[in-house]
Amino acid sequence: MTTTYPKKSEVKRRFVLFDAEGVVLGRLAAKVASVLKGKDKPAYHPAVDTGDYVIVVNAEKVRLTGDKMKSKIHYSHSQYPGGLKATPYGELLKKYPDRVVRNAVRRMLPDNRLSRQLMRKLKVYAGPEHPHAAQKPVKANL
């Protein structure tokens, strides 16, 4: 009994389309991270990129539960003294909806070189249009 190790050449990739309209941010991020890693495929291996390309549309219509629009804060620092910036997620969602979804997915992945490679396969768009129609993306169920 041997364990099969998937090769890069054997991995079949497809494009998966997620519509974020009315979906809770954390649930969307968990599902997207799972598809990016390839956990929905039988040939999954944690050290090999077996995942698919993911397209997320309508990122501006993603939902945050409870009072998180005001109470959840995104922090960024300029690395200078006094350079801490705090932005509520409601404001961040209006200004940069793609970053909100991208950050949520990135934080669901492990912090290593493979996750940085996986993040390159994630395409997030604020509105309903995307330039990947030629790839014939498969619509995902949420």
Side-chain angles (χ1 to χ4, degrees), residues 74-92:
H74 178 265
Y75 295 101
S76 61
H77 203 288
S78 66
Q79 301 302 316
Y80 285 97
L84 181 67
K85 292 181 184 174
T87 312
Y89 259 72
E91 193 177 308
L92 197 66

Side-chain angles (χ1 to χ4, degrees), residues 30-113:
K31 194 75 169 167
V32 168
S34 178
V35 172
L36 276 175
K37 279 190 84 170
K39 283 190 157 190
D40 58 338
K41 294 183 175 183
Y44 170 72
H45 192 279
V48 181
D49 179 12
T50 58
D52 298 322
Y53 289 90
V54 175
I55 306 161
V56 179
V57 293
N58 289 324
E60 63 194 4
K61 296 177 183 171
V62 76
R63 202 166 56 98
L64 293 173
T65 57
D67 196 34
K68 291 183 192 141
M69 286 287 208
K70 295 178 212 152
S71 63
K72 189 171 173 75
I73 306 291
H74 178 265
Y75 295 101
S76 61
H77 203 288
S78 66
Q79 301 302 316
Y80 285 97
L84 181 67
K85 292 181 184 174
T87 312
Y89 259 72
E91 193 177 308
L92 197 66
L93 196 58
K94 286 179 190 164
K95 201 169 183 182
Y96 306 108
D98 55 326
R99 286 189 199 173
V100 171
V101 174
R102 185 174 289 279
N103 279 339
V105 172
R106 182 177 53 82
R107 291 170 182 164
M108 295 265 176
L109 295 171
D111 191 24
N112 55 23
R113 281 180 280 179

